[in-house]
Amino acid sequence: MGESGARGLDVFDPSPAQSFRMAAGDVLRGAVDTDVGGNWRLPRRRSSAPPVIRIVDRFLTGVLDLRAVELNYLLEFERCRFERPPDLRQSKLPGVEFRQCWLPGLAGRNLTSANDFSLDGCTVDGVVDLTDSDIGGSVALRDSRLNAPGGLALHADRTKVAGALLAYGIRVEGEVRMAGAQISGNCNFSGAALHNPTGFSLNGNGMLVGGNLLCGVWAETDQHFTAHGTVMLPNARISSAFTMRRAALHAGDDRSEPDIVDPHADPYAALVLDRITVSGDVELDRGFTSAGTLRMLNAAIGGTLSLSGARLDAVRPQEGNTEPVGRGRAVHLDGAEIGGDVAARQLVMKGQFRMVDATVRGSLVLDGSVLDNPFADTVLANRCRVGSNFSAREANVAGVLELRAVHIGANLDLRGSRLIQPGQYRHQPGEKSSVDIGGATVGRDLICAKGDKEFVAHGGVRTRRAQIGRMANFAGAVLGDKLDSHALNALGMQVPELVLTPVSPPKGKVTLRGASCTSLDDNETFWSATGRIDLEDFRYDSLRHSIDPQDDQAVLRRLRWLRQAMRHRYRPGPYDQLAALLRASGNEEHASTVLMEKQRLRYTAVAGGTRVVGPLVLLWSWLQRSMVGYGYRPGRALGWLVVSWVLGSAYFAAGADLVVINADDTLEWNPWLFTIDLIVPIVDFGNKNRWQTHGASQWIASGLIVSGWVLATTVAAGLTRMLKR
């Protein structure tokens, strides 16, 4: 069939001139012969005939009916308008091309094309049905308009494409459905605009892409991919990368809620990639925006998941959900496996970032991000495994980072971040911690320290039973903002090096019960916490700034810190720990000072328990402390022994009332030796049996005997310990 005249045709003209009309049945008339019965038959193309049937600037009336036809001619339609949808079902063609045409639809189910199938710059008001078709070349939908509002605009389930699917710049009103499609090359929707707000804008459930799936920017026009309606790609397999760079997604309009609400469902999902397999990277970055959930449950991504520079909005909370999702889930990665990094630098997110039981073999980076999900869990990553670093430096977070039982290969770095508005627990009273890594394992460092800005956690930090490989650093931190909350809960934490040097006193309680570290670096600011510090069974082997044996003020200062931390309550454990540390470093004198303070507080606590014997207990405590230092200062006993000897000797030398027991005894009177006989037990110089005391002298002598027993035995015990050393 030859070409038409040179005059052009406005393909949108509803009533073209008669000279431009053409019966659709005449398209093949010049390419067919008639048999004896007068029936049309399609002969084998003669070698001299052109291989292309090309129709230009025509209005085709009736139906172009090629159903089940096997044709040796390539069909080309340029600037043509069709009255009825062409019927290409079950046909076998060398190729079909519609260029700048208008069609009311296209029936191409089970179509077999040896070469390309093209709708280039066309407008289709109806469904393009390519279900189960087999295209030997590529499918080109470049810059076309498909209009089927509320219905299927492109139906290509199970379509096989040997080449690429090129749909850049396409505009669609309705659903693009490609469930189970197999595309050997790239699938390119760059610059496309898909609009189906009440359903799926793109449904590629189970599709296979041999190359890249590109839904980003069309370089030719700088148009970016947009979709109003869910992009549905669960179970898809992409052999290379999946790119939605600078794309804009919207979950669509409100939909009816199910009768039974699934707490793990995301009814307002903008992108669904459940169980997807991507061998390369997934790029949702560099200006990518989403109004709705990015859902990737159990996804397998071989490369990096990039969200850097993206803006995500979870739209609204999920009604009836008992989980603390706050605004709703912005990212849902439960069970996902990511072979590279999760790069989300400068991410701006409203909603929850959830990745429970996910595995990231590289690093998870949220540096400089703004994460807004106040009074709920902003990042929920319980039992998540990160091969390298979990980094959220200089981030601004409204809500909670809940990372319970996570396993991080290197550092958990929150340097310079600010975490506010943590909210309340659901099943127990009290405010939640801004950072919760209870039961976590961190291979190297936990860094909640000052960076370019101070680290701020209004809800405090919870590290219960966490295991840190090298250092837990709280240098320059601001912990807590309420007196009745927990500023730091490190019960049972194990770490070699613990740095507790906040920039301001922690506001709220501090728990170090059962925690242990090899080296402790602290300051007075930490010990000035507004709430009580629980130090029971807190173990540390050394202080980063050790106490010099000559520096008595350092020990007294640390004792003051302990009294202030425990609100002057008696707890023996912290004093025993400090004394053991000092003794292990050879600082015996300072260790004794600590243990004396422990005993003083012990007697004070006992005296406070009863009004009757309380004063006597305090007196007895004073006597022990002043005379023998509760047994830790035996040298004092020797001094008091000498004082007693001098005072007693002076008393008896002044003319005490004494009676000679044996007048025949010739032992001369010596008040010094008499007093020694009274004071020193066991040793007898014969004086106390020569004279008998009466009246006041008898009471004084008895007091010297009792004091002598107490003081002398204390001195003997001290000498014994010294000889043992």
Side-chain angles (χ1 to χ4, degrees):
M1 176 72 66
E3 294 188 9
S4 68
R7 287 177 49 188
L9 170 66
D10 182 1
V11 297
F12 298 101
D13 182 3
S15 301
Q18 187 68 28
S19 59
F20 293 102
R21 290 178 178 269
M22 179 179 183
D26 293 337
V27 170
L28 301 180
R29 189 173 301 278
V32 299
D33 296 330
T34 56
D35 58 14
V36 176
N39 298 319
W40 294 101
R41 63 183 180 84
L42 296 175
R44 184 170 300 178
R45 180 177 62 84
R46 293 183 291 272
S47 59
S48 59
V52 177
I53 298 177
R54 188 163 183 262
I55 309 298
V56 180
D57 296 332
R58 285 288 182 263
F59 181 84
L60 286 86
T61 59
V63 179
L64 177 61
D65 188 359
L66 299 179
R67 183 173 183 180
V69 169
E70 183 175 354
L71 187 65
N72 296 326
Y73 290 87
L74 180 69
L75 297 180
E76 292 186 4
F77 299 91
E78 184 173 354
R79 297 189 301 276
C80 292
R81 180 184 181 90
F82 290 79
E83 183 182 27
R84 303 285 297 277
D87 190 351
L88 306 180
R89 291 175 294 173
Q90 295 94 31
S91 62
K92 294 183 179 180
L93 306 174
V96 183
E97 179 177 342
F98 298 89
R99 186 182 299 114
Q100 298 179 18
C101 295
W102 181 90
L103 302 90
L106 176 66
R109 184 181 291 264
N110 297 111
L111 167 67
T112 300
S113 175
N115 294 290
D116 295 348
F117 176 88
S118 177
L119 284 172
D120 189 354
C122 294
T123 298
V124 182
D125 291 334
V127 60
V128 176
D129 188 357
L130 297 177
T131 304
D132 295 311
S133 60
D134 189 348
I135 309 300
S138 297
V139 174
L141 305 173
R142 179 182 183 274
D143 204 24
S144 291
R145 305 291 187 269
L146 308 183
N147 301 313
L152 289 173
L154 174 62
H155 193 187
D157 288 1
R158 300 175 299 280
T159 295
K160 296 181 180 179
V161 181
L165 174 63
L166 307 175
Y168 33 79
I170 192 174
R171 298 290 183 267
V172 180
E173 287 283 345
E175 180 179 342
V176 175
R177 179 181 173 93
M178 304 173 60
Q182 299 180 28
I183 301 168
S184 299
N186 292 336
C187 183
N188 194 336
F189 280 89
S190 295
L194 312 182
H195 189 266
N196 190 34
T198 59
F200 302 135
S201 59
L202 173 60
N203 185 352
N205 189 350
M207 68 182 297
L208 305 178
V209 180
N212 300 298
L213 177 54
L214 307 173
C215 299
V217 179
W218 185 14
E220 183 175 324
T221 61
D222 199 40
Q223 296 173 347
H224 60 271
F225 177 88
T226 62
H228 195 176
T230 303
V231 176
M232 189 78 172
L233 299 172
N235 305 300
R237 294 186 180 182
I238 301 171
S239 298
S240 190
F242 176 30
T243 297
M244 299 193 82
R245 191 161 281 171
R246 280 182 55 191
L249 306 183
H250 194 289
D253 298 337
D254 291 346
R255 300 162 200 168
S256 59
E257 296 288 345
D259 295 334
I260 301 177
V261 178
D262 181 0
H264 301 290
D266 300 297
Y268 303 106
L271 176 63
V272 177
L273 302 178
D274 292 359
R275 300 172 299 281
I276 193 173
T277 301
V278 182
S279 299
D281 299 338
V282 175
E283 299 171 336
L284 311 175
D285 56 2
R286 300 187 187 180
F288 173 87
T289 61
S290 171
T293 305
L294 303 183
R295 180 182 170 97
M296 309 179 204
L297 271 62
N298 300 306
I301 299 173
T304 294
L305 171 60
S306 180
L307 294 165
S308 296
R311 302 181 68 90
L312 311 179
D313 191 341
V315 182
R316 57 181 66 81
Q318 183 176 337
E319 297 180 2
N321 195 341
T322 59
E323 291 193 18
V325 295
R327 295 176 180 269
R329 297 191 186 99
V331 179
H332 196 174
L333 290 171
D334 284 9
E337 294 188 7
I338 300 168
D341 299 335
V342 175
R345 294 178 179 86
Q346 308 298 324
L347 172 67
V348 177
M349 183 187 75
K350 293 182 178 180
Q352 185 184 86
F353 193 117
R354 179 185 170 106
M355 50 185 304
V356 175
D357 294 310
T359 299
V360 181
R361 291 187 173 84
S363 297
L364 195 158
V365 183
L366 293 165
D367 293 350
S369 295
V370 178
L371 311 178
D372 186 20
N373 196 33
F375 310 112
D377 298 331
T378 304
V379 176
L380 181 60
N382 295 341
R383 301 180 299 279
C384 177
R385 300 182 69 87
V386 179
S388 187
N389 297 312
F390 190 122
S391 178
R393 294 188 179 188
E394 313 295 337
N396 288 288
V397 180
V400 173
L401 301 184
E402 184 168 316
L403 312 175
R404 296 182 184 179
V406 298
H407 190 286
I408 299 172
N411 301 320
L412 174 54
D413 192 350
L414 305 177
R415 193 190 318 267
S417 292
R418 179 180 178 85
L419 298 98
I420 61 175
Q421 297 176 300
Q424 304 290 321
Y425 285 105
R426 287 180 293 158
H427 305 303
Q428 63 187 40
E431 187 175 65
K432 300 188 73 172
S433 300
S434 291
V435 179
D436 187 349
I437 60 167
T441 301
V442 180
R444 295 187 65 186
D445 298 340
L446 167 64
I447 305 174
C448 298
K450 181 178 180 180
D452 294 338
K453 300 180 295 183
E454 295 172 346
F455 171 81
V456 178
H458 282 183
V461 177
R462 184 177 185 270
T463 62
R464 288 172 61 98
R465 298 185 176 85
Q467 297 184 7
I468 315 297
R470 191 173 68 174
M471 177 190 293
N473 188 353
F474 295 91
V478 177
L479 302 175
D481 71 334
K482 295 181 180 178
L483 301 182
D484 60 346
S485 62
H486 244 117
L488 175 63
N489 186 353
L491 186 147
M493 180 180 69
Q494 298 180 13
V495 58
E497 185 174 353
L498 179 58
V499 180
L500 294 173
T501 56
V503 71
S504 62
K507 292 183 180 179
K509 296 179 291 185
V510 174
T511 298
L512 294 173
R513 177 186 290 265
S516 63
C517 65
T518 302
S519 173
L520 175 63
D521 183 8
D522 56 0
N523 61 8
E524 185 171 2
T525 303
F526 169 74
W527 295 102
S528 301
T530 59
R532 188 172 67 88
I533 301 180
D534 186 354
L535 298 169
E536 197 64 33
D537 202 28
F538 174 44
R539 297 286 180 262
Y540 49 99
D541 298 333
S542 64
L543 297 173
R544 183 173 182 180
H545 303 288
S546 59
I547 299 176
D548 189 271
Q550 306 300 323
D551 191 356
D552 296 339
Q553 292 301 317
V555 174
L556 296 177
R557 182 169 58 251
R558 190 162 286 276
L559 289 174
R560 186 179 75 251
W561 293 355
L562 287 178
R563 289 194 300 270
Q564 179 175 315
M566 294 183 291
R567 297 297 184 267
H568 299 277
R569 297 181 182 179
Y570 174 65
R571 294 290 186 273
Y575 294 95
D576 290 335
Q577 167 61 37
L578 180 57
L581 180 149
L582 293 170
R583 187 176 291 116
S585 62
N587 199 339
E588 290 284 349
E589 292 299 318
H590 288 162
S592 298
T593 300
V594 173
L595 294 175
M596 288 170 57
E597 177 66 10
K598 183 189 81 169
Q599 291 296 330
R600 185 187 72 81
L601 294 175
R602 171 175 169 266
Y603 281 106
T604 301
V606 172
T610 174
R611 295 181 179 180
V612 178
V613 298
L616 296 177
V617 172
L618 292 177
L619 176 61
W620 175 238
S621 173
W622 177 83
L623 289 173
Q624 289 191 83
R625 183 171 66 256
S626 59
M627 295 182 67
V628 295
Y630 299 107
Y632 298 108
R633 291 285 188 266
R636 291 184 183 180
L638 181 60
W640 281 107
L641 199 64
V642 173
V643 170
S644 299
W645 178 42
V646 171
L647 293 177
S649 299
Y651 173 80
F652 289 116
D657 184 14
L658 300 176
V659 177
V660 178
I661 297 176
N662 187 0
D664 297 332
D665 197 335
T666 60
L667 183 65
E668 296 182 0
W669 165 248
N670 189 326
W672 298 93
L673 294 178
F674 179 76
T675 305
I676 285 180
D677 262 355
L678 294 177
I679 291 177
V680 179
I682 302 175
V683 177
D684 186 3
F685 293 102
N687 289 275
K688 63 183 177 182
N689 296 323
R690 177 72 173 83
W691 290 276
Q692 184 176 4
T693 58
H694 293 278
S697 299
Q698 185 177 14
W699 287 103
I700 292 175
S702 300
L704 290 173
I705 293 172
V706 173
S707 300
W709 272 102
V710 173
L711 296 174
T713 53
T714 302
V715 172
L719 291 174
T720 301
R721 287 196 297 270
M722 183 179 67
L723 292 174
K724 284 183 178 181
R725 288 196 298 271

